[in-house]
mmCIF file of all heavy atoms in Angstrom:
data_model
loop_
_atom_site.group_PDB
_atom_site.id
_atom_site.type_symbol
_atom_site.label_atom_id
_atom_site.label_comp_id
_atom_site.label_asym_id
_atom_site.label_seq_id
_atom_site.Cartn_x
_atom_site.Cartn_y
_atom_site.Cartn_z
ATOM 1 N N VAL A 19 98.638 125.005 279.337
ATOM 2 C CA VAL A 19 97.465 125.032 280.211
ATOM 3 C C VAL A 19 96.759 126.373 280.080
ATOM 4 O O VAL A 19 97.382 127.430 280.241
ATOM 5 C CB VAL A 19 97.862 124.784 281.678
ATOM 6 C CG1 VAL A 19 96.637 124.932 282.590
ATOM 7 C CG2 VAL A 19 98.476 123.402 281.842
ATOM 8 N N GLN A 20 95.469 126.324 279.795
ATOM 9 C CA GLN A 20 94.630 127.516 279.727
ATOM 10 C C GLN A 20 93.387 127.246 280.575
ATOM 11 O O GLN A 20 92.475 126.548 280.151
ATOM 12 C CB GLN A 20 94.239 127.842 278.281
ATOM 13 C CG GLN A 20 95.406 128.117 277.349
ATOM 14 C CD GLN A 20 96.122 129.418 277.683
ATOM 15 O OE1 GLN A 20 95.523 130.346 278.236
ATOM 16 N NE2 GLN A 20 97.412 129.496 277.355
ATOM 17 N N GLY A 21 93.388 127.780 281.800
ATOM 18 C CA GLY A 21 92.254 127.544 282.697
ATOM 19 C C GLY A 21 92.118 126.070 283.031
ATOM 20 O O GLY A 21 93.043 125.432 283.509
ATOM 21 N N GLY A 22 90.935 125.522 282.741
ATOM 22 C CA GLY A 22 90.675 124.117 283.038
ATOM 23 C C GLY A 22 90.976 123.183 281.886
ATOM 24 O O GLY A 22 90.537 122.033 281.892
ATOM 25 N N THR A 23 91.727 123.663 280.879
ATOM 26 C CA THR A 23 92.051 122.840 279.712
ATOM 27 C C THR A 23 93.556 122.788 279.514
ATOM 28 O O THR A 23 94.243 123.810 279.573
ATOM 29 C CB THR A 23 91.396 123.410 278.440
ATOM 30 O OG1 THR A 23 89.975 123.454 278.626
ATOM 31 C CG2 THR A 23 91.712 122.547 277.232
ATOM 32 N N ALA A 24 94.075 121.592 279.285
ATOM 33 C CA ALA A 24 95.499 121.407 279.003
ATOM 34 C C ALA A 24 95.646 120.736 277.642
ATOM 35 O O ALA A 24 95.003 119.710 277.375
ATOM 36 C CB ALA A 24 96.153 120.547 280.081
ATOM 37 N N THR A 25 96.477 121.325 276.789
ATOM 38 C CA THR A 25 96.791 120.738 275.485
ATOM 39 C C THR A 25 98.177 120.110 275.572
ATOM 40 O O THR A 25 99.151 120.791 275.924
ATOM 41 C CB THR A 25 96.760 121.803 274.383
ATOM 42 O OG1 THR A 25 95.461 122.415 274.367
ATOM 43 C CG2 THR A 25 97.039 121.177 273.026
ATOM 44 N N VAL A 26 98.258 118.823 275.272
ATOM 45 C CA VAL A 26 99.502 118.069 275.413
ATOM 46 C C VAL A 26 99.943 117.568 274.044
ATOM 47 O O VAL A 26 99.227 116.790 273.403
ATOM 48 C CB VAL A 26 99.333 116.872 276.371
ATOM 49 C CG1 VAL A 26 100.660 116.146 276.568
ATOM 50 C CG2 VAL A 26 98.764 117.316 277.711
ATOM 51 N N LYS A 27 101.108 118.026 273.597
ATOM 52 C CA LYS A 27 101.709 117.523 272.364
ATOM 53 C C LYS A 27 102.742 116.470 272.750
ATOM 54 O O LYS A 27 103.713 116.765 273.444
ATOM 55 C CB LYS A 27 102.365 118.660 271.582
ATOM 56 C CG LYS A 27 101.378 119.701 271.081
ATOM 57 C CD LYS A 27 102.092 120.820 270.315
ATOM 58 C CE LYS A 27 101.096 121.858 269.835
ATOM 59 N NZ LYS A 27 101.765 122.970 269.111
ATOM 60 N N GLY A 28 102.516 115.249 272.314
ATOM 61 C CA GLY A 28 103.406 114.160 272.704
ATOM 62 C C GLY A 28 104.815 114.326 272.172
ATOM 63 O O GLY A 28 105.016 114.829 271.060
ATOM 64 N N VAL A 29 105.782 113.914 272.968
ATOM 65 C CA VAL A 29 107.190 113.935 272.553
ATOM 66 C C VAL A 29 107.710 112.503 272.539
ATOM 67 O O VAL A 29 107.184 111.628 273.244
ATOM 68 C CB VAL A 29 108.046 114.810 273.499
ATOM 69 C CG1 VAL A 29 107.581 116.252 273.461
ATOM 70 C CG2 VAL A 29 108.008 114.276 274.932
ATOM 71 N N ALA A 30 108.739 112.280 271.731
ATOM 72 C CA ALA A 30 109.264 110.922 271.594
ATOM 73 C C ALA A 30 109.956 110.459 272.869
ATOM 74 O O ALA A 30 109.938 109.265 273.200
ATOM 75 C CB ALA A 30 110.234 110.858 270.417
ATOM 76 N N LYS A 31 110.550 111.400 273.602
ATOM 77 C CA LYS A 31 111.315 111.011 274.781
ATOM 78 C C LYS A 31 111.288 112.131 275.811
ATOM 79 O O LYS A 31 111.382 113.315 275.466
ATOM 80 C CB LYS A 31 112.771 110.713 274.395
ATOM 81 C CG LYS A 31 113.460 109.701 275.278
ATOM 82 C CD LYS A 31 112.856 108.319 275.109
ATOM 83 C CE LYS A 31 113.658 107.272 275.869
ATOM 84 N NZ LYS A 31 113.016 105.968 275.887
ATOM 85 N N MET A 32 111.165 111.770 277.076
ATOM 86 C CA MET A 32 111.306 112.725 278.165
ATOM 87 C C MET A 32 112.639 112.469 278.857
ATOM 88 O O MET A 32 113.229 111.392 278.715
ATOM 89 C CB MET A 32 110.134 112.617 279.137
ATOM 90 C CG MET A 32 108.807 113.007 278.492
ATOM 91 S SD MET A 32 107.368 112.747 279.560
ATOM 92 C CE MET A 32 107.605 114.036 280.779
ATOM 93 N N LYS A 33 113.101 113.456 279.609
ATOM 94 C CA LYS A 33 114.395 113.338 280.269
ATOM 95 C C LYS A 33 114.225 113.478 281.773
ATOM 96 O O LYS A 33 113.427 114.286 282.241
ATOM 97 C CB LYS A 33 115.364 114.405 279.747
ATOM 98 C CG LYS A 33 115.692 114.261 278.270
ATOM 99 C CD LYS A 33 116.733 115.260 277.829
ATOM 100 C CE LYS A 33 117.019 115.134 276.326
ATOM 101 N NZ LYS A 33 117.574 113.815 275.982
ATOM 102 N N GLY A 34 114.984 112.690 282.505
ATOM 103 C CA GLY A 34 114.927 112.741 283.952
ATOM 104 C C GLY A 34 115.328 114.111 284.479
ATOM 105 O O GLY A 34 116.142 114.809 283.881
ATOM 106 N N ALA A 35 114.733 114.499 285.622
ATOM 107 C CA ALA A 35 115.015 115.809 286.218
ATOM 108 C C ALA A 35 114.576 115.779 287.677
ATOM 109 O O ALA A 35 113.758 114.942 288.065
ATOM 110 C CB ALA A 35 114.263 116.910 285.473
ATOM 111 N N PRO A 36 115.081 116.686 288.497
ATOM 112 C CA PRO A 36 114.521 116.849 289.842
ATOM 113 C C PRO A 36 113.179 117.559 289.749
ATOM 114 O O PRO A 36 113.078 118.616 289.105
ATOM 115 C CB PRO A 36 115.565 117.713 290.561
ATOM 116 C CG PRO A 36 116.298 118.421 289.484
ATOM 117 C CD PRO A 36 116.262 117.541 288.275
ATOM 118 N N VAL A 37 112.137 116.991 290.336
ATOM 119 C CA VAL A 37 110.795 117.563 290.272
ATOM 120 C C VAL A 37 110.185 117.543 291.671
ATOM 121 O O VAL A 37 110.651 116.832 292.562
ATOM 122 C CB VAL A 37 109.891 116.790 289.279
ATOM 123 C CG1 VAL A 37 110.335 117.017 287.850
ATOM 124 C CG2 VAL A 37 109.861 115.300 289.606
ATOM 125 N N MET A 38 109.110 118.302 291.838
ATOM 126 C CA MET A 38 108.484 118.432 293.147
ATOM 127 C C MET A 38 107.017 118.027 293.078
ATOM 128 O O MET A 38 106.268 118.513 292.229
ATOM 129 C CB MET A 38 108.601 119.871 293.649
ATOM 130 C CG MET A 38 108.038 120.085 295.032
ATOM 131 S SD MET A 38 108.285 121.791 295.600
ATOM 132 C CE MET A 38 107.218 122.687 294.483
ATOM 133 N N ALA A 39 106.608 117.159 293.980
ATOM 134 C CA ALA A 39 105.215 116.740 294.050
ATOM 135 C C ALA A 39 104.383 117.834 294.706
ATOM 136 O O ALA A 39 104.766 118.378 295.745
ATOM 137 C CB ALA A 39 105.102 115.448 294.854
ATOM 138 N N THR A 40 103.244 118.162 294.096
ATOM 139 C CA THR A 40 102.383 119.214 294.623
ATOM 140 C C THR A 40 101.137 118.681 295.304
ATOM 141 O O THR A 40 100.518 119.368 296.119
ATOM 142 C CB THR A 40 101.951 120.152 293.486
ATOM 143 O OG1 THR A 40 101.382 119.371 292.429
ATOM 144 C CG2 THR A 40 103.136 120.940 292.954
ATOM 145 N N ASP A 41 100.738 117.466 294.969
ATOM 146 C CA ASP A 41 99.600 116.823 295.628
ATOM 147 C C ASP A 41 99.725 115.325 295.411
ATOM 148 O O ASP A 41 100.661 114.842 294.777
ATOM 149 C CB ASP A 41 98.257 117.378 295.114
ATOM 150 C CG ASP A 41 98.048 117.168 293.619
ATOM 151 O OD1 ASP A 41 97.974 116.006 293.193
ATOM 152 O OD2 ASP A 41 97.966 118.166 292.875
ATOM 153 N N LEU A 42 98.770 114.585 295.943
ATOM 154 C CA LEU A 42 98.842 113.121 295.940
ATOM 155 C C LEU A 42 98.961 112.533 294.541
ATOM 156 O O LEU A 42 99.894 111.777 294.239
ATOM 157 C CB LEU A 42 97.598 112.571 296.648
ATOM 158 C CG LEU A 42 97.321 111.071 296.545
ATOM 159 C CD1 LEU A 42 98.505 110.258 297.031
ATOM 160 C CD2 LEU A 42 96.065 110.728 297.331
ATOM 161 N N ARG A 43 98.034 112.857 293.656
ATOM 162 C CA ARG A 43 98.037 112.231 292.328
ATOM 163 C C ARG A 43 99.167 112.777 291.455
ATOM 164 O O ARG A 43 99.706 112.058 290.617
ATOM 165 C CB ARG A 43 96.681 112.414 291.645
ATOM 166 C CG ARG A 43 95.501 111.938 292.497
ATOM 167 C CD ARG A 43 95.631 110.501 292.992
ATOM 168 N NE ARG A 43 94.554 110.155 293.923
ATOM 169 C CZ ARG A 43 94.461 109.011 294.576
ATOM 170 N NH1 ARG A 43 95.395 108.083 294.439
ATOM 171 N NH2 ARG A 43 93.463 108.775 295.400
ATOM 172 N N ALA A 44 99.526 114.049 291.662
ATOM 173 C CA ALA A 44 100.672 114.599 290.943
ATOM 174 C C ALA A 44 101.940 113.829 291.282
ATOM 175 O O ALA A 44 102.797 113.594 290.422
ATOM 176 C CB ALA A 44 100.846 116.081 291.283
ATOM 177 N N SER A 45 102.064 113.409 292.548
ATOM 178 C CA SER A 45 103.257 112.673 292.974
ATOM 179 C C SER A 45 103.474 111.432 292.131
ATOM 180 O O SER A 45 104.568 111.197 291.593
ATOM 181 C CB SER A 45 103.114 112.248 294.447
ATOM 182 O OG SER A 45 102.846 113.317 295.298
ATOM 183 N N VAL A 46 102.418 110.640 291.989
ATOM 184 C CA VAL A 46 102.584 109.378 291.285
ATOM 185 C C VAL A 46 102.688 109.589 289.782
ATOM 186 O O VAL A 46 103.329 108.805 289.079
ATOM 187 C CB VAL A 46 101.453 108.397 291.657
ATOM 188 C CG1 VAL A 46 100.166 108.668 290.879
ATOM 189 C CG2 VAL A 46 101.893 106.949 291.487
ATOM 190 N N SER A 47 102.112 110.678 289.266
ATOM 191 C CA SER A 47 102.237 110.948 287.832
ATOM 192 C C SER A 47 103.695 111.223 287.470
ATOM 193 O O SER A 47 104.165 110.830 286.399
ATOM 194 C CB SER A 47 101.354 112.133 287.423
ATOM 195 O OG SER A 47 101.883 113.365 287.864
ATOM 196 N N LEU A 48 104.428 111.875 288.354
ATOM 197 C CA LEU A 48 105.837 112.168 288.103
ATOM 198 C C LEU A 48 106.682 110.899 288.187
ATOM 199 O O LEU A 48 107.652 110.738 287.444
ATOM 200 C CB LEU A 48 106.333 113.215 289.099
ATOM 201 C CG LEU A 48 105.640 114.576 289.008
ATOM 202 C CD1 LEU A 48 106.072 115.480 290.157
ATOM 203 C CD2 LEU A 48 105.925 115.246 287.665
ATOM 204 N N ILE A 49 106.308 109.992 289.069
ATOM 205 C CA ILE A 49 107.006 108.703 289.139
ATOM 206 C C ILE A 49 106.785 107.909 287.863
ATOM 207 O O ILE A 49 107.721 107.338 287.289
ATOM 208 C CB ILE A 49 106.529 107.905 290.369
ATOM 209 C CG1 ILE A 49 107.010 108.594 291.655
ATOM 210 C CG2 ILE A 49 107.026 106.458 290.316
ATOM 211 C CD1 ILE A 49 106.446 107.999 292.922
ATOM 212 N N LEU A 50 105.548 107.897 287.370
ATOM 213 C CA LEU A 50 105.261 107.197 286.117
ATOM 214 C C LEU A 50 106.057 107.796 284.964
ATOM 215 O O LEU A 50 106.631 107.072 284.147
ATOM 216 C CB LEU A 50 103.765 107.262 285.809
ATOM 217 C CG LEU A 50 102.835 106.456 286.713
ATOM 218 C CD1 LEU A 50 101.376 106.745 286.369
ATOM 219 C CD2 LEU A 50 103.108 104.960 286.628
ATOM 220 N N ALA A 51 106.093 109.123 284.900
ATOM 221 C CA ALA A 51 106.861 109.773 283.839
ATOM 222 C C ALA A 51 108.326 109.397 283.930
ATOM 223 O O ALA A 51 109.006 109.203 282.907
ATOM 224 C CB ALA A 51 106.694 111.293 283.926
ATOM 225 N N GLY A 52 108.826 109.267 285.149
ATOM 226 C CA GLY A 52 110.216 108.875 285.351
ATOM 227 C C GLY A 52 110.535 107.489 284.828
ATOM 228 O O GLY A 52 111.679 107.214 284.433
ATOM 229 N N LEU A 53 109.529 106.609 284.781
ATOM 230 C CA LEU A 53 109.749 105.260 284.251
ATOM 231 C C LEU A 53 110.136 105.288 282.781
ATOM 232 O O LEU A 53 110.863 104.417 282.299
ATOM 233 C CB LEU A 53 108.479 104.415 284.424
ATOM 234 C CG LEU A 53 108.017 104.095 285.842
ATOM 235 C CD1 LEU A 53 106.672 103.381 285.805
ATOM 236 C CD2 LEU A 53 109.051 103.237 286.574
ATOM 237 N N ALA A 54 109.628 106.294 282.067
ATOM 238 C CA ALA A 54 109.881 106.376 280.622
ATOM 239 C C ALA A 54 111.014 107.332 280.277
ATOM 240 O O ALA A 54 111.491 107.341 279.145
ATOM 241 C CB ALA A 54 108.610 106.833 279.905
ATOM 242 N N ALA A 55 111.435 108.156 281.241
ATOM 243 C CA ALA A 55 112.406 109.213 280.944
ATOM 244 C C ALA A 55 113.827 108.668 280.839
ATOM 245 O O ALA A 55 114.180 107.678 281.489
ATOM 246 C CB ALA A 55 112.343 110.277 282.031
#
């Protein structure tokens, strides 16, 4: 993340972890990521 721009390099697999929701939309984004982790 650099200011208002984020560069995302895709990975083949994510791993489950304890995470913290910081706002409304961030909350559900972490749940979605958990579906694939």
Side-chain angles (χ1 to χ4, degrees):
V19 175
Q20 300 291 333
T23 301
T25 302
V26 183
K27 295 180 181 179
V29 298
K31 209 67 173 172
M32 295 175 71
K33 296 185 182 297
V37 290
M38 183 177 67
T40 53
D41 60 64
L42 169 56
R43 307 306 173 185
S45 305
V46 81
S47 74
L48 297 172
I49 291 172
L50 290 174
L53 295 174

